[in-house]
Amino acid sequence: MTAKRLRVFALLAISVVFLLAWAFPIIWSVLNSLKTDSDVLAYPPKLVFAPTLDAYRDVLFGSGSILPNLLSSVIISVGTTVVTMLMAVPAAYALARLRFRGKRFAGFYVLATQMLPPVGIIIPYFLVLRNIGWIDTYQGIILIYLSFSLPFAIWLLVSYFEDIPFEMEEAAYLDGASRLKTLWRIIIPQVRGGIAVTVVFVFLNAWNEFLFAVVLSGNTVRPVTVAMFNFVSVEQTLWAKLAAVSVLAMLPVVVLGVVAQKHIVKGLTVGAVKGGGRR
Amino acid sequence: MTSFKPTRRTLLKTGTAAAALATFGPGILRHASAQDADLAPYKSAQIDWQQVSGETITVAVIPASYFENLITLAPQFKALTGIDVRFEKIPPAQIRQKSVIDLTSKTGTYATHAADPMYYALYAANKWVEPLDTYLNDKSLTDQAWFKLDDIIPAWRSANGIDGKLYGMPYDGEVTIQVYRKDLYDAKGLKPADTLEAYMSNAAALNTPNDRVWGAALRGVAGAGQNMYIYPSIFREFGGDWMKGGKLTVNGPEAEAALAWYVDIMKKYAPTAAANWNWPDIADAFSQGTVASYIDAHSSASVINNPEKSKVIGKVAYARWPKGPSGKRTTSIWNWGFPINSALPEKKRKATWLFIQWAASAETQARTAHRFAGPTKRSGVNRTSVWKDPDYIKLMNGFGENFVEAAMGALQDDTDVDWRPRVPQWPAIGDTMATAIQSALSGQATIKAALDDAQRRIEPMMRG
């Protein structure tokens, strides 16, 4: 074997080690979800075992099925994402393009709301929702999620809008397009990548949120992040079931990631390609 | 006798009936069992169970088999009282957070919740929950001769009391005992330890990491109910007094000796990972045969005897917590109790009390324990009379040699209601102590430095 081939092999081996380290939590969850409880606890850990789908069957169709919780998570995450995007796109466009009094302050104010520690605002949120009777409702949780997903989405989108050359818009105006039409026909297609990135992040944040969900949800609305904890009781941790729920909870996110991948790559590199068109 | 000849029609009919039963059966049966359940033992109480019929209350519990059993019986409660109970299951770490938010904001979301004894000082100081004597002494609400408050384990009652007043009714509880592998002890001619010193030497004798057996394990993970569940008992056994001269003191010479013992046994004879273990992890390791002995809640017996997971069934025995240098034993007594939320309107408070009285009664305790139809039986019943019931004893002694004797002995004689400092500031103090213990265990600080630091942090909390 030549020295060059040896070097390639060494590099490959190192990459595999890094890849395994990176993927370890996922591999661990998937393996445990296919084991029986006694196999999970086996020491040294069993790499060869008889796989079983019992854990999946239990968590999906058993008495404490998490299907309603997965549905709750989907409704909350999709709801939050849709409402956030409907509001964030025009807001970000306005901050990036329009001239108006107090623009600087508005931009800062949006960001400032992100600086509050979540634990500090949980009691006021609880009281507000309680007073309007929105505890344990979808609209209540989505409203609270908006309070942190919206500023995040606006700030992410502003940078994409700022990267679009003014000339494109001006050309559209010269052709007689209204501002709204320009936004819809010219601008939004240009920032598709940015919108995809934002959608993924907003969805992910809502999907993974736990702190607000555990306090503001109840028996009616209970996302999977909260339900998952029911497999960690004071008596024991049901590792196989916990792993099965984790894998199930990861699936929609993986699917979304794969679907949006093309746009994300475009969105992440857009600044690099254009070198920025900020004025 | 006519012989049964199935025709196509009868087969179809039977099939349809069977399918219908399979679909709706469980619901129908559950409903029927609620209706047919013998409510006579409850109706013998001289109170009107139906006095607030039609009320709905929400009860927050943690996901645990002993509450699941109670939830299964809720239709019986509904049939008895006409009160609807909505149960909400919340993970243990969050139930405290959620209930405190509910109590602070006086929103009355949870009529009652599974409450930690250490929180009553805070609850009572803020009048968030009702003193229960008001309800116990009201003849229209409680038949004292039927309810028999004195039958409820005194140690748990005193843990839930502040200045002699009861604030939470114990439903299910635990006490710490020694759990050990009788086969390993017998092979070396060892006896369960009577003193902390003997516990250490037993651990030394059994510690053979090369064979993957460690001598002992105690909770190591940092937290107010974690390493601070075990350490306070050791501290008391070394003669420690939390409120020395009326001032909360955590860094005296007894504290140093106690922490040194804990760090010593954990470093020398426990698996390294135990520094991050909570009790389910210890019980799991023990059930896999890698730990020779541990001291923790007696309720872990069901995990180490779970036929689906455990490899040590039939090899387990129990003993009381070893004595400390002070000559006394101090176990960590603990229970989930039900308080009454003060923010509720009067009718709901009454409904809540009827629920609590029902759940804590000897009858419901037996129905959720040895007389429970499901697979999981409770080991933490709140009544002395149930602990003496031959059926219950028979069932519990299935967990291993000397189980009932060790648990009952510990509950009756080895408790000390002040095993933790019972002050409203406890949650923050417990966390501060927990961090100090962990820094000593991990070697980040010396024992003295860790305790001095904790004292420095705790003093302002006691002033505020």
Side-chain angles (χ1 to χ4, degrees):
Chain A
M1 205 182 280
T2 62
K4 194 179 170 192
R5 285 186 73 174
L6 210 67
R7 212 164 48 228
V8 172
F9 272 113
L11 277 173
L12 260 177
I14 293 170
S15 315
V16 168
V17 168
F18 272 102
L19 188 71
L20 279 179
W22 170 79
F24 178 75
I26 296 166
I27 297 172
W28 185 85
S29 300
V30 174
L31 284 181
N32 274 352
S33 71
L34 298 171
K35 289 180 179 179
T36 59
D37 274 332
S38 66
D39 280 344
V40 172
L41 293 178
Y43 189 86
K46 277 189 182 174
L47 282 176
V48 182
F49 58 92
T52 165
L53 290 173
D54 282 358
Y56 286 96
R57 199 169 44 235
D58 279 353
V59 299
L60 284 175
F61 309 112
S63 60
S65 167
I66 56 130
L67 281 175
N69 310 113
L70 282 170
L71 183 70
S72 277
S73 285
V74 170
I75 296 174
I76 292 172
S77 310
V78 172
T80 306
T81 312
V82 169
V83 182
T84 301
M85 294 314 289
L86 284 177
M87 295 165 84
V89 169
Y93 175 74
L95 277 178
R97 281 294 195 262
L98 305 188
R99 287 199 197 94
F100 56 91
R101 192 194 285 261
K103 178 174 155 174
R104 232 168 230 277
F105 176 75
F108 176 76
Y109 180 75
V110 166
L111 193 66
T113 57
Q114 291 277 285
M115 295 173 187
L116 286 168
V119 173
I121 45 178
I122 203 157
I123 292 181
Y125 276 171
F126 178 84
L127 285 176
V128 168
L129 289 193
R130 173 77 201 168
N131 284 344
I132 57 175
W134 278 13
I135 290 279
D136 197 14
T137 61
Y138 286 113
Q139 65 271 30
I141 293 183
I142 290 173
L143 180 75
I144 299 305
Y145 282 11
L146 275 181
S147 70
F148 53 85
S149 69
L150 200 51
F152 170 77
I154 293 173
W155 269 92
L156 203 58
L157 284 170
V158 163
S159 58
Y160 289 105
F161 280 116
E162 281 176 344
D163 283 340
I164 299 168
F166 264 112
E167 290 74 15
M168 285 179 93
E169 255 174 290
E170 283 161 2
Y173 294 144
L174 286 177
D175 288 342
S178 69
R179 195 177 266 284
L180 214 60
K181 199 168 183 181
T182 313
L183 173 67
W184 186 247
R185 286 277 173 81
I186 310 290
I187 308 294
I188 288 185
Q190 289 297 315
V191 291
R192 242 189 348 230
I195 290 179
V197 171
T198 315
V199 162
V200 170
F201 278 116
V202 169
F203 183 90
L204 267 182
N205 282 342
W207 186 267
N208 289 332
E209 208 285 325
F210 174 76
L211 182 69
F212 288 105
V214 77
V215 174
L216 305 174
S217 71
N219 278 345
T220 325
V221 179
R222 180 177 288 251
V224 73
T225 41
V226 178
M228 207 183 277
F229 262 75
N230 282 357
F231 298 99
V232 186
S233 79
V234 286
E235 296 165 303
Q236 57 184 327
T237 304
L238 302 166
W239 290 110
K241 288 181 187 170
L242 187 65
V245 179
S246 315
V247 172
L248 289 171
M250 264 187 263
L251 281 182
V253 179
V254 173
V255 171
L256 181 74
V258 171
V259 171
Q261 198 181 27
K262 195 178 78 187
H263 298 293
I264 292 178
V265 174
K266 210 170 145 194
L268 288 175
T269 51
V270 69
V273 176
K274 290 185 179 157
R278 212 164 290 200
R279 282 192 184 178
Chain B
M1 198 172 129
T2 57
S3 62
F4 175 69
K5 281 194 192 127
T7 61
R8 192 169 157 268
R9 186 177 293 261
T10 51
L11 269 179
L12 269 174
K13 262 180 164 172
T14 331
T16 317
L21 193 70
T23 317
F24 305 110
I28 297 170
L29 289 178
R30 244 197 325 272
H31 188 66
S33 75
Q35 297 303 315
D36 299 346
D38 181 13
L39 299 178
Y42 298 102
K43 287 180 175 161
S44 67
Q46 300 298 309
I47 53 164
D48 173 14
W49 284 101
Q50 292 274 342
Q51 56 186 298
V52 285
S53 176
E55 285 291 331
T56 302
I57 56 170
T58 303
V59 176
V61 295
I62 58 155
S65 60
Y66 39 82
F67 285 123
E68 296 290 346
N69 294 6
L70 187 71
I71 294 171
T72 315
L73 298 190
Q76 295 184 8
F77 177 70
K78 170 84 195 273
L80 177 71
T81 60
I83 299 165
D84 256 317
V85 184
R86 255 180 98 246
F87 284 95
E88 193 174 313
K89 280 185 262 175
I90 307 171
Q94 281 76 36
I95 198 168
R96 293 166 193 172
Q97 191 185 24
K98 266 192 106 161
S99 45
V100 168
I101 289 177
D102 180 40
L103 293 168
T104 326
S105 58
K106 298 195 193 308
T107 49
T109 309
Y110 303 117
T112 183
H113 65 275
D116 180 330
M118 290 312 294
Y119 273 48
Y120 290 116
L122 177 72
Y123 289 179
N126 290 294
K127 296 193 168 60
W128 287 336
V129 298
E130 300 269 290
L132 296 182
D133 52 357
T134 324
Y135 298 84
L136 280 160
N137 296 330
D138 184 336
K139 284 197 172 57
S140 70
L141 283 170
T142 313
D143 179 350
Q144 291 206 12
W146 177 83
F147 184 65
K148 296 192 182 74
L149 179 67
D150 289 346
D151 185 31
I152 293 178
I153 310 276
W156 291 338
R157 268 190 290 138
S158 59
N160 295 2
I162 302 292
D163 299 331
K165 272 190 182 169
L166 188 64
Y167 283 89
M169 188 61 75
Y171 166 74
D172 190 286
E174 60 187 36
V175 64
T176 41
I177 53 176
Q178 262 184 85
V179 185
Y180 66 97
R181 281 276 299 283
K182 195 167 166 12
D183 56 332
L184 299 180
Y185 273 57
D186 285 351
K188 296 235 163 160
L190 298 173
K191 282 195 172 59
D194 195 45
T195 61
L196 287 179
E197 212 182 340
Y199 191 75
M200 184 79 85
S201 66
N202 279 354
L206 291 160
N207 195 52
T208 45
N210 290 338
D211 302 333
R212 279 207 282 276
V213 175
W214 280 264
L218 301 173
R219 287 185 199 196
V221 66
Q226 317 296 347
N227 54 7
M228 267 307 271
Y229 183 74
I230 296 296
Y231 168 80
S233 292
I234 306 168
F235 169 72
R236 297 286 290 159
E237 293 203 338
F238 271 86
D241 174 6
W242 294 111
M243 303 299 282
K244 213 180 227 171
K247 182 187 165 215
L248 187 71
T249 309
V250 300
N251 63 344
E254 302 89 357
E256 275 182 50
L259 188 53
W261 185 88
Y262 172 86
V263 169
D264 208 25
I265 197 162
M266 288 291 281
K267 276 197 170 155
K268 285 185 185 159
Y269 309 123
T272 318
N276 287 312
W277 280 358
N278 193 2
W279 82 253
D281 312 299
I282 297 175
D284 282 344
F286 185 85
S287 74
Q288 297 308 301
T290 53
V291 170
S293 154
Y294 67 90
I295 301 177
D296 213 302
H298 83 288
S299 43
S300 55
S302 60
V303 177
I304 57 176
N305 279 287
N306 178 348
E308 283 178 16
K309 298 206 287 196
S310 180
K311 295 179 180 160
V312 297
I313 297 175
K315 299 172 182 169
V316 189
Y318 305 86
R320 280 154 71 173
W321 184 305
K323 277 180 209 153
S326 69
K328 64 174 186 175
R329 307 174 204 269
T330 312
T331 65
S332 331
I333 40 161
W334 197 83
N335 72 92
W336 288 113
F338 286 127
I340 300 179
N341 190 334
S342 301
L344 298 173
E346 197 192 345
K347 261 183 138 179
K348 274 201 197 297
R349 286 206 304 265
K350 284 184 177 172
T352 310
W353 170 250
L354 291 176
F355 167 77
I356 293 172
Q357 189 176 189
W358 169 79
S361 69
E363 184 62 26
T364 305
Q365 291 285 315
R367 285 184 188 194
T368 51
H370 52 292
R371 281 161 53 199
F372 187 68
T376 44
K377 318 288 184 192
R378 291 172 53 207
S379 63
V381 296
N382 71 2
R383 299 241 163 203
T384 315
S385 59
V386 179
W387 277 95
K388 287 179 179 160
D389 185 316
D391 287 342
Y392 184 73
I393 292 176
K394 200 174 141 206
L395 184 79
M396 289 298 117
N397 275 341
F399 285 147
E401 198 178 295
N402 203 36
F403 180 69
V404 172
E405 291 83 345
M408 208 50 204
L411 273 173
Q412 282 176 334
D413 302 320
D414 304 346
T415 54
D416 173 350
V417 77
D418 290 316
W419 68 277
R420 284 188 280 191
R422 299 198 308 153
V423 289
Q425 297 89 335
W426 164 255
I429 292 171
D431 283 333
T432 308
M433 280 301 293
T435 316
I437 294 169
Q438 203 183 40
S439 68
L441 184 60
S442 64
Q444 285 171 328
T446 62
I447 285 160
K448 185 163 176 19
L451 290 170
D452 286 346
D453 187 49
Q455 182 70 32
R456 213 167 26 248
R457 286 168 195 267
I458 284 167
E459 268 167 23
M461 294 178 197
M462 292 305 288
R463 278 200 299 271

